[in-house]
Amino acid sequence: MPKSSFSNEFTYKHFVESGKEDEFDKLFDDAAQRAKAQFGKKHPLYIGGKEVLAAEILTERSPIDGSVIGYFQKGTREHARQAVEAAAAALPAWMESGYKERADIFKKAAAVFSKNKFNLAAILSYENGKSRYESVGEVDEAIDFMRYYAAELEANKGFSRRTSLQGGTAKVSAGFQGAPSAKSEKVTIRLRPFGVFGIIAPFNFPVSISVGMSAGAMIAGNTAVFKPSSSDSMTMLSGVKIYEYLKEAGVPPGVFNCITGPGSEIGDELVTNTRVAGIAFTGSRIVGTGMIRKAYELGLQKTFIVEMGGKNPVIISKSANLDEAVSAVASAAFGFNGQKCSACSRVYVHESIKEQFVSKLIEKARSFKIGNPISKEVYMGPLISENALRTYTEAVEKAKATGRVLYGGNKAHVSMNGHYVEPTIIEVRHDSELVHSELFVPILTIEGFKNFDEALDMANDTEYGLTAGLYTGKRKEIIEFMERIEAGTVYVNRDTSATTGAIVGLHTFVGWKGSSVNGKGSGSKLYLQQFMREQSISITK
Ligand code: UN1
């Protein structure tokens, strides 16, 4: 394949800019019909290229109406062990396959995903309740990750370079640091894969984050055992589709293994198995730090590439373009029901415009249609699970008891068997737990501020540091914000969304503080290096 020059997929943008929005909708609607017709099938585990069945079955249901999406294997610790063995057996050949071959396979995979994008997007909407726009955007993001990482691997020549030292005229009888020699040295410095990676994926971006983490690991020469979200929030069908598409693209048997089953068994085995060299994980801070603690307590030195959530702030200054800020905050807080690590959950707005901001925000929130996300006009679908509903209800009760609910806080009237809730805006004291813990539901806290410094202090007063936004007309405030904000993915005056929707290759999606471990992001020039270790080999002639 020719060398890649990267460009983003941007499906919706291309349709709408060429006046073909109707075509976009028809492709999605037809794919939704096809997806539905396929639901209710039984799906195996994939270990070493073979289909494997377990003793028990997990039933995946759509959060939209509780209808059955499919039946999946309840993989056990033993299955995870077998998958690790298969990945270890496939490792030597895959490591030696050469970066060009691996880049070609993932470019081919990007093409397979692109060909199937509406089918996969439709499955995604049924599986986790995303709108068609969010779903197609997510599949695009997965395609972008594969193309971007392939292009990075090629541009860096597989992360291998050479240096050398010419022999001189002097030599010594006993060596020391910096001792001269008459002989020359040729040195290869390269990044090599760690080995077998466990890939533990979330329900909220089960296509793009799963593909991004898996492609990152495998294109770098590691082999992988992939666990889709399989417990309280299930996105196993898209996981199986990812397996099928990667296989079609030529990922060899054993290089990518797909195990559905509970985290307490599969995830735990991946974390504790000595043959697993690294874990790529996206999910909650409590699970992420728990895995790291467990591995290190057992004396296992594993590499962890983790993204562990956020409590993302937005500052609205007196000089902000208010309408833009309102629309961008509403999208960031309520898009996909706030079930994104990148969602905005805290707003700090200048006191002089607070009332106006809140009333415009309420107007905007009221305009969002809640219901079946398969319908074109619906902006907010169901929450992913009953647990998410409980989190929502308890947070609203706490807000009522300790502060004020400015808008929402109720179940939405939707006549389907799912958990539909209103976008919710609350006002509580800064020291409230609701301002500090990640809720992953559509609840936004609002606080006023008098001076910009104080707003920055409050924005930074969190254990997380994932995304952050600012709306201002003042250059001085932009500079101060850039200087002081403690977050990895930062947006100023962005009109589409205040904190969500990072674009591969354009932004880096990266957490600081408790949101990550090593402060390197995805969709970035520094992503692949995390899946490799450096080696320098010197040959003296
Ligand atoms: C997440 O929610 O785990 O920037 C990540 C965004 C997405 C990634 C979200 N590209 O909103």
Side-chain angles (χ1 to χ4, degrees):
M1 271 196 202
K3 262 202 178 172
S4 0
S5 68
F6 175 74
S7 62
N8 297 99
E9 191 80 349
F10 283 143
T11 299
Y12 179 72
K13 174 179 152 93
H14 290 141
F15 275 95
V16 82
E17 284 179 353
S18 53
K20 293 182 178 159
E21 182 150 14
D22 287 355
E23 208 176 297
F24 175 93
D25 286 326
K26 183 162 175 10
L27 284 166
F28 184 88
D29 291 333
D30 290 351
Q33 289 305 321
R34 280 196 301 274
K36 227 175 162 176
Q38 283 177 34
F39 290 161
K41 286 192 185 153
K42 224 180 212 179
H43 302 273
L45 308 169
Y46 292 101
I47 302 175
K50 298 207 171 64
E51 297 186 3
V52 175
L53 301 181
E56 285 178 69
I57 290 292
L58 294 167
T59 304
E60 181 179 314
R61 294 176 183 279
S62 172
I64 298 174
D65 58 3
S67 59
V68 170
I69 286 191
Y71 302 99
F72 297 82
Q73 307 302 310
K74 189 174 178 184
T76 61
R77 189 174 286 281
E78 185 48 36
H79 292 117
R81 239 175 247 149
Q82 287 166 16
V84 172
E85 291 306 314
L91 185 65
W94 182 244
M95 265 176 80
E96 295 320 317
S97 61
Y99 78 89
K100 287 185 186 150
E101 190 182 324
R102 295 197 302 273
D104 282 350
I105 288 177
F106 281 94
K107 281 191 267 178
K108 188 145 178 249
V112 174
F113 276 73
S114 188
K115 186 180 72 190
N116 289 293
K117 76 172 73 151
F118 283 95
N119 292 335
L120 192 52
I123 287 173
L124 188 48
S125 284
Y126 280 113
E127 250 192 342
N128 74 5
K130 271 188 185 184
S131 75
R132 64 183 58 195
Y133 307 104
E134 292 277 6
S135 290
V136 173
E138 180 180 337
V139 178
D140 281 358
E141 190 179 29
I143 297 165
D144 287 352
F145 277 136
M146 290 188 279
R147 291 205 178 119
Y148 184 80
Y149 297 147
E152 277 302 303
L153 196 67
E154 288 173 338
N156 289 283
K157 299 191 168 55
F159 296 96
S160 176
R161 64 193 166 91
R162 294 214 168 117
T163 60
S164 63
L165 180 67
Q166 285 303 313
T169 50
K171 58 176 184 174
V172 290
S173 58
F176 48 85
Q177 173 78 44
S181 167
K183 291 188 172 176
S184 57
E185 274 185 67
K186 286 200 184 329
V187 186
T188 301
I189 299 169
R190 56 185 185 169
L191 298 186
R192 303 278 281 155
F194 281 101
V196 176
F197 257 84
I199 311 286
I200 302 177
F203 79 86
N204 65 338
F205 285 85
V207 175
S208 65
I209 291 182
S210 302
V211 167
M213 297 192 297
S214 303
M218 288 187 281
I219 208 166
N222 303 280
T223 53
V225 177
F226 164 54
K227 184 188 90 64
S229 184
S230 316
S231 303
D232 165 46
S233 34
M234 295 180 172
T235 49
M236 295 180 281
L237 185 54
S238 58
V240 165
K241 288 288 163 196
I242 290 170
Y243 178 87
E244 288 171 2
Y245 295 161
L246 290 181
K247 184 179 168 197
E248 185 182 334
V251 173
V255 170
F256 187 60
N257 304 276
C258 177
I259 306 280
T260 49
S264 55
E265 289 216 26
I266 314 299
D268 194 67
E269 179 60 28
L270 294 175
V271 169
T272 55
N273 190 308
T274 52
R275 298 193 76 174
V276 175
I279 299 283
F281 165 79
T282 301
S284 71
R285 184 161 155 67
I286 188 145
V287 174
T289 51
M291 289 192 312
I292 296 169
R293 189 181 314 115
K294 182 147 198 188
Y296 278 80
E297 261 169 18
L298 290 171
L300 301 173
Q301 264 182 279
K302 275 190 213 299
T303 293
F304 282 91
I305 301 166
V306 293
E307 195 263 90
M308 303 186 292
K311 189 72 186 174
N312 308 304
V314 171
I315 299 177
I316 321 265
S317 138
K318 206 159 67 176
S319 58
N321 176 328
L322 212 55
D323 288 328
E324 264 178 25
V326 163
S327 157
V329 163
S331 311
F334 305 132
F336 188 42
N337 281 316
Q339 298 173 119
K340 302 184 187 184
C341 303
S342 53
C344 167
S345 47
R346 299 182 287 144
V347 161
Y348 301 101
V349 54
H350 192 271
E351 281 194 341
S352 64
I353 53 165
K354 186 174 158 207
E355 212 169 298
Q356 206 189 350
F357 175 81
V358 169
S359 85
K360 279 175 183 271
L361 188 66
I362 289 175
E363 204 181 307
K364 183 78 188 175
R366 189 174 282 134
S367 76
F368 287 149
K369 193 160 164 39
I370 307 168
N372 186 341
I374 303 297
S375 305
K376 178 179 166 58
E377 65 282 358
V378 165
Y379 191 70
M380 295 173 71
L383 290 176
I384 189 69
S385 65
E386 206 174 325
N387 272 338
L389 177 67
R390 192 168 312 122
T391 303
Y392 175 86
T393 315
E394 285 173 10
V396 168
E397 287 314 312
K398 216 168 280 170
K400 280 183 187 158
T402 59
R404 287 197 304 153
V405 173
L406 303 177
Y407 180 75
N410 306 301
K411 283 194 179 178
H413 301 289
V414 175
S415 59
M416 275 183 299
N417 183 21
H419 306 301
Y420 295 85
V421 298
E422 292 172 342
T424 300
I425 305 166
I426 64 173
E427 191 168 36
V428 287
R429 282 169 48 121
H430 184 74
D431 58 9
S432 163
E433 187 202 330
L434 299 175
V435 176
H436 298 278
S437 49
E438 186 183 45
L439 300 171
F440 237 61
V441 292
I443 296 183
L444 178 68
T445 69
I446 306 268
E447 271 179 275
F449 70 85
K450 285 200 182 68
N451 66 64
F452 197 68
D453 251 11
E454 176 200 356
L456 265 163
D457 287 343
M458 290 194 288
N460 284 336
D461 181 22
T462 167
E463 62 180 342
Y464 295 103
L466 191 53
T467 67
L470 167 67
Y471 292 83
T472 181
K474 286 208 174 120
R475 212 178 105 81
K476 195 169 154 278
E477 287 177 348
I478 296 178
I479 291 167
E480 201 180 334
F481 184 73
M482 282 169 64
E483 210 46 57
R484 286 199 47 208
I485 192 72
E486 294 168 0
T489 313
V490 177
Y491 304 102
V492 177
N493 291 337
R494 192 154 172 258
D495 60 346
T496 47
S497 166
T499 58
T500 60
I503 306 291
V504 174
L506 176 68
H507 315 107
T508 281
F509 193 74
V510 52
W512 284 16
K513 299 181 359 191
S515 298
S516 156
V517 167
N518 61 7
K520 308 275 188 306
S522 61
S524 142
K525 287 196 177 296
L526 303 181
Y527 188 66
L528 291 183
Q529 292 90 322
Q530 300 174 90
F531 291 92
M532 295 181 265
R533 48 191 173 181
E534 200 172 16
Q535 183 176 48
S536 106
I537 299 178
S538 156
I539 300 177
T540 295
K541 287 212 173 127

